[in-house]
Every structure is written in structure tokens, then in C-alpha cells.
Amino acid sequence: MRNNAVTVAAVIPLYNGAPFIREALESVLSQTEPADEIIVVDDGSTDDGPAIVEELALSHPITLLRKPNGGQSSARNLAIQHTACSHVAFLDQDDAWYEEHLEILKRPFTQGHVRRLGLVYGNLDQIDRKGRLIQQCCLDENLSPQPKRSLRDCLRHDMFILPGATLASKQAMIDAGLFDERLSGYEDDDLFVRMFARGVGILYLNVAVTRWRIYSGSTSYSPRMARSRAIYFHKLVEIFPDEPRIELFPTRDAIGPHFLGLLTGEFIAASRSGDKDRLLRAWDDVQQVVAVMHPKVRRRMALVHPIIEATLLTPVRSLSRRAMRYVARDVLRELRELEDMHKWTGDKLKALLAPAAVTP
């Protein structure tokens, strides 16, 4: 592919992001290889964020689009459909790019070495609310395998392909159906799974290209996130049903365990906090997930279901938590084993594989 065939639109959805939007835009403007277009989509903000964007737009080529609040999916889709660029680089309002972000992610598209390349993504450095470094290359410590080499890799874990660390082909995203606007959480996993399943070339570069800001306000539980997770689960089950005739069980062996692990954590956290509505929703979602899982998991649920129902909202709800762990014990065991495996990465693994020293 010729170098001039790749044009890049930087896209930032904005919703009440006044504390961070200036830093995000300045990171886009400081790129060693500039974006061809910068689009900020105001998703119905009620703070000063849009005014900050308008101020910067007086001296920089920034397009501000406005729409009623509909979530990040609709904001990103609007920008994708608006731009004439061939590729899109996303950035969340509270994150920031390193200066070489676009230069690094764009290079594989210009070299043309990967068949049907549609998505390139990199690693991330985690920062706190004040921008202080917490961890370098945090994907190295994540249990989700990188790069994604199988559909099971995509379905058994969260994808952990962060939009803010990606550069994607506009046409590849359109062909896959764009972001699902029903989702306000898991919308990026949903799109990238669909792209993988379509055979889109996906390339991982293990270099930190983005500063990923994590703070209490960015990760808090919300009913909207829970609804989105449930929609995503049912969508995956519909798209990737089990096929016993060819011994292929994506729902039973990957989707079910993935969501049971997520919901077990959600169930336990809600039980400990005493949040009744959150707990009841998690319990309802757990039962829907268990219904698609291996018969032995369903048998465990049948055994403890009366205990959970009887103790769920009582002072002895610790019994329901214990029962829930019993239902999910295979999933929890696998997660512990994966965590143990990750302890043998990096220097420990290098030392283990190093050739023995030769005695003179």
C-alpha cells in the first residue's frame, strides 16, 4: 500500500470531559506524524468541555460535531461516517497519546505486509487521575492473551484492545457493522470480535502508544454498564452458537465461562456492599449465563439454587456468595492458574530458558 493511501482521522467522543479534553487534544496535536483530520463529537455535554474544544479550534484544525447524548458508540459512528479519511484513530476524552502514537500504528498499513490488515493496536501505560505513571505496558500483566490468534482468545476473555491504542480501517469497521449503539460498555470488544471473525487482519505491537487513565469515576459500576454486558452476552451467543456435530462449543466453553467469571465477581461485590438492585440484577444475569454452560455447571446451580434464593438478601448472604463460588469453581480455578502462569513471564521466564553457563 502506498504511503499516501493512508489518511487518518483522530476521533474523540466528548461527554462532560472538561477536566481532561485539553490534554487529550494537545496529545493529538503534538504527534510526530500529524492526523489528517481531528474530530471531536460532543455527545450532549453539560459542562465546559465543548467550549474548551471551540477555543482550541480557533488556532487548530479541529472539527466539533454535536449530537444529543447517545453514548460513545453513537458518537464514534457519527465521526466514522463523517470523515473522508481511510483510517480512524480513537482517543477517549480522559486518555492521551504518546507523541509517536500515529507514526507507530500507521507504519504497518503503509508497509503492506499483513494480509487484509484492518486493525493495528498497541500497549498502554496506566496513569492516575493526575497523570502520574502507575504501570508501564499494562497489557503484559493482563490475563487476556495478546495478540489474538483464535476465536477462543476473543471470546474467553475481555479483548483488552483499547480503542485509544488502535488505528483501524474505516471500511473494515463499516463492513463489520460499526459500533453497536445499544452498548455503553463492551462496544469495542463487540466490534473487534466481529472484525476478527470476518478475517480482518489484526496486528499487535507491544509498545506503549497511549496513556490510559484509570480512576474511581472511570470504572464505577452502573446499571447501564450491566445492561450493556447482558446485551453483549446474548449477542455473542446468537452469533457463535455451539455446533455439537463438529464438536465446536464457543458458547459452552468460551462465552459462558467468560461471563460467569465476570458475573461471579459482580455478584460477590454487590452482596458485600448490600446493593440490593445490583445484586438482584447480577443474580438474574448469572442464571442466564449458567443456562448455556456445561451440564456439570448447570447441575451445581440446580443444587445450590434454593440456598442462594433463600439467603440472597438476608444477613447471612455470605452463604449465597459461597454457593456462587461453588457454581463457578472451574472458572475461578482457571483464572488462578492463569495468574500463576503470568508470574513466570518476563525476567523469570528468560532466566528459566537461558542456556546453562559453561564452566571454564
Side-chain angles (χ1 to χ4, degrees):
M1 183 180 289
R2 299 187 310 276
N3 191 43
N4 61 7
V6 177
T7 55
V8 177
V11 170
I12 305 177
L14 175 65
Y15 178 71
N16 292 347
F20 306 112
I21 187 60
R22 184 181 299 275
E23 179 184 356
L25 276 169
E26 287 175 349
S27 77
V28 174
L29 294 167
S30 65
Q31 291 296 294
T32 55
E33 189 159 333
D36 298 279
E37 187 176 13
I38 302 172
I39 303 172
V40 178
V41 181
D42 174 24
D43 189 36
S45 296
T46 58
D47 68 358
D48 294 333
I52 295 172
V53 176
E54 289 176 330
E55 174 196 334
L56 289 169
L58 293 175
S59 53
H60 300 283
I62 299 170
T63 299
L64 177 62
L65 305 178
R66 297 181 184 272
K67 61 179 289 297
N69 179 251
Q72 281 200 130
S73 294
S74 61
R76 288 171 178 158
N77 285 346
L78 177 62
I80 292 169
Q81 292 161 341
H82 178 273
T83 185
C85 291
S86 63
H87 291 71
V88 177
F90 298 104
L91 179 60
D92 287 351
Q93 63 188 17
D94 47 3
D95 297 337
W97 289 344
Y98 283 119
E99 291 82 355
E100 306 87 0
H101 178 101
L102 292 181
E103 180 181 350
I104 291 171
L105 296 182
K106 186 176 178 180
R107 191 176 299 132
F109 285 106
T110 64
Q111 293 172 341
H113 298 325
V114 178
R115 182 185 300 123
R116 297 187 64 197
L117 183 61
L119 179 69
V120 177
Y121 69 106
N123 213 322
L124 309 116
D125 286 346
Q126 182 180 336
I127 60 175
D128 65 10
R129 186 182 184 94
K130 295 182 179 180
R132 297 172 297 196
L133 182 65
I134 300 299
Q135 183 177 355
Q136 293 180 325
C137 291
C138 56
L139 294 189
D140 292 352
E141 302 297 322
N142 193 275
L143 297 181
S144 183
Q146 307 295 347
K148 307 300 183 193
R149 299 191 184 279
S150 68
L151 184 60
R152 188 183 189 282
D153 286 346
C154 297
L155 298 178
R156 179 60 185 87
H157 308 273
D158 286 350
M159 290 286 279
F160 257 91
I161 301 177
L162 277 294
T166 67
L167 179 61
S169 158
K170 172 184 174 180
Q171 192 59 51
M173 290 188 289
I174 291 173
D175 291 344
L178 296 177
F179 291 98
D180 188 332
E181 297 188 10
R182 299 174 300 166
L183 302 179
S184 297
Y186 298 97
E187 68 275 5
D188 42 331
D189 280 25
D190 171 61
L191 175 58
F192 298 149
V193 166
R194 285 184 276 122
M195 290 174 69
F196 181 94
R198 289 178 58 86
V200 172
I202 299 177
L203 180 66
Y204 173 56
L205 303 177
N206 192 6
V207 56
V209 294
T210 303
R211 299 191 296 279
W212 181 38
R213 196 185 311 268
I214 296 294
Y215 55 99
S216 59
S218 66
T219 58
S220 60
Y221 164 83
S222 72
R224 192 175 187 182
M225 172 67 82
R227 286 192 297 272
S228 188
R229 180 178 56 217
I231 292 170
Y232 180 45
F233 164 74
H234 288 291
K235 183 174 183 178
L236 288 178
V237 169
E238 181 180 352
I239 296 174
F240 303 108
D242 291 338
E243 299 183 60
R245 290 185 179 181
I246 57 173
E247 297 186 359
L248 186 65
F249 298 94
T251 290
R252 187 193 73 182
D253 295 342
I255 299 170
H258 176 197
F259 283 85
L260 183 58
L262 293 173
L263 287 165
T264 298
E266 179 72 16
F267 181 96
I268 291 171
S271 175
R272 285 175 171 164
S273 69
D275 186 331
K276 176 181 176 181
D277 291 340
R278 180 182 180 186
L279 181 57
L280 289 173
R281 175 154 201 128
W283 172 227
D284 182 62
D285 289 347
V286 162
Q287 294 175 84
Q288 294 181 52
V289 170
V290 169
V292 306
M293 294 190 66
H294 195 280
K296 65 181 179 181
V297 180
R298 300 202 300 271
R299 286 194 294 268
R300 287 184 202 140
M301 176 59 81
L303 182 64
V304 302
H305 187 278
I307 298 173
I308 296 177
E309 285 283 348
T311 63
L312 187 65
L313 300 176
T314 70
V316 292
R317 58 181 178 270
S318 61
L319 293 177
S320 68
R321 297 197 294 270
R322 188 176 303 176
M324 189 64 242
R325 291 189 186 97
Y326 170 73
V327 173
R329 68 181 186 181
D330 293 340
V331 173
L332 299 178
R333 183 186 299 118
E334 181 184 350
L335 290 174
R336 284 193 295 269
E337 290 171 352
L338 286 170
E339 289 172 355
D340 289 341
M341 288 174 59
H342 274 251
K343 294 177 183 177
W344 288 95
T345 58
D347 293 338
K348 291 184 179 179
L349 183 59
K350 291 175 184 177
L352 185 66
L353 299 178
V358 178
T359 303

